[in-house]
Amino acid sequence: MVKKEIIAMLLAGGQGSRLGVLTETVAKPAVTFGGSFRIIDFPLSNCINSGIDTVGVLTQYQPLRLNSHIGIGIPWDLDKNEGGVTVLPPYEKKADSEWYTGTANAIFQNMTYMETYDPDYVIILSGDHIYKMDYQIMLDYHKANKADITIACMNVPYEEASRFGIVLSDETSKVTEFEEKPEKPRGTMASMGIYIFSFDVLKEALTTLSDVSGCDFGKHVLPYCLNNGKRLFTYEFSGYWKDVGTLTSYWEANMELIDIVPEFNLYEEFWRIYTNSDTVRPQYISTEGSVDRSIVSDGCGIYGEIHDSVIGVNVEVKEGTVIRNSIIMNNTMIGAGCTIDKAIVGENSRIGDNVVLGCGDGAPNKYKPGIYCDGLTTLGEDTVIPAGVRIGRNSAVSGVTVPEDYPNGELPSGEILEKGGNK
């Protein structure tokens, strides 16, 4: 096998439980974004745009969609004889078998894969962030500092700092302390979960910590390396970066794409985002239909009104329907005379005629107020909504529902309705 200077290990096994019903049947990195992309397209595209042609993708939770999407890596030019993209699920070993129990444990379980390429450096990536980054510049910075570990960081508002690993460093950017999600942060330089390790340092740390339950980079590996005299440096990133780990952040990131001059441009020629997409017919907007300030993907048939929304591939919107401030995912059928306002509709859903999504008083969700909030109405994949029902805000529906599931034809704000068939 050809030796590689640097390989990427892309962590894509997370459930993304804060996305609620959107990730009941699909891993978070496989959730669609911006109409025709999936979240994992962004780190994969960053790799190939940065000249990294060997990528291990670590999968675990609901991997079918992700595996199918990645395939042999053709869209990202990662179908290589030497290197390319390799999907790395947990597997049965001779002595025992175990799931990935933490970010570092997942990497450790794939030590043999990494050793195959005998890399000088390994870059650890997360599969669930939206951003563009040239990893080659970060690698050059790592070499210039003679670093053992370089941590990509960005400044965040103080009120958000407790959600991240916070890095304290001196005037040379050398790390002096690392705090994982501190209650009272002493700084605002947050780890982005992107690390470049010199491979010998990574191997030594993971081997030493191999018996630690749920071994994690932020909780265990970085503190261990710092306490044992390794050279850790921060690499400050100032571009667009979005953790789309909650329904609200996911909705906001999609809505930012439709600004007149979007902060994050999906279609820059010099840094393209690649995806695995089927060949489909062009979009069709009928004479009765209208679209403004929206992304409408290929294969759509629009016979209603679309305002300030992101519409996925092969979506049909029938006449008289008005959609505002919403995300409609791939292969969804929306009936006639519907009103949809500030909703997220999962893939392959079917919405009957005269349905209202996003109505009512916006009462907090009774069961999961931290997930279903900010006035959003969320439908999971393969959801069926019968004609004529009204569904309130801060609510969620998944599965094949029938009129009897909606007393008085309504699901009030703050409720959750989950039916069999979507588990």
Side-chain angles (χ1 to χ4, degrees), residues 113-185:
Y113 168 81
M114 293 186 289
E115 289 175 337
T116 301
Y117 298 100
D118 188 26
D120 298 319
Y121 309 99
V122 176
I123 184 166
I124 311 294
L125 304 171
S126 172
D128 52 10
H129 298 146
I130 305 298
Y131 67 109
K132 298 175 184 176
M133 180 189 284
D134 190 336
Y135 303 137
Q136 189 62 51
I137 296 174
M138 184 176 171
L139 178 59
D140 291 342
Y141 177 87
H142 179 88
K143 293 176 184 176
N145 283 313
K146 296 182 172 56
D148 295 312
I149 306 167
T150 299
I151 307 169
C153 299
M154 67 186 305
N155 262 310
V156 297
Y158 181 80
E159 56 272 17
E160 293 181 23
S162 59
R163 293 174 43 218
F164 299 94
I166 296 300
V167 186
L168 304 178
S169 59
D170 63 19
E171 64 278 359
T172 69
S173 297
K174 187 176 181 181
V175 176
T176 55
E177 291 185 62
F178 183 87
E179 300 177 302
E180 179 67 8
K181 298 180 180 177
E183 281 188 24
K184 296 181 178 178

Side-chain angles (χ1 to χ4, degrees), residues 336-351:
C338 298
T339 301
I340 298 176
D341 181 44
K342 202 174 182 184
I344 302 174
V345 178
E347 294 188 48
N348 307 308
S349 293
R350 298 289 178 267
I351 297 175

Side-chain angles (χ1 to χ4, degrees), residues 49 79 103 134 139 144 158 191 229 294 349 355 359 365 382 403 420:
N49 288 332
D79 51 327
T103 56
D134 190 336
L139 178 59
Y158 181 80
S191 168
S294 298
S349 293
V355 166
C359 60
N365 192 274
D382 302 301

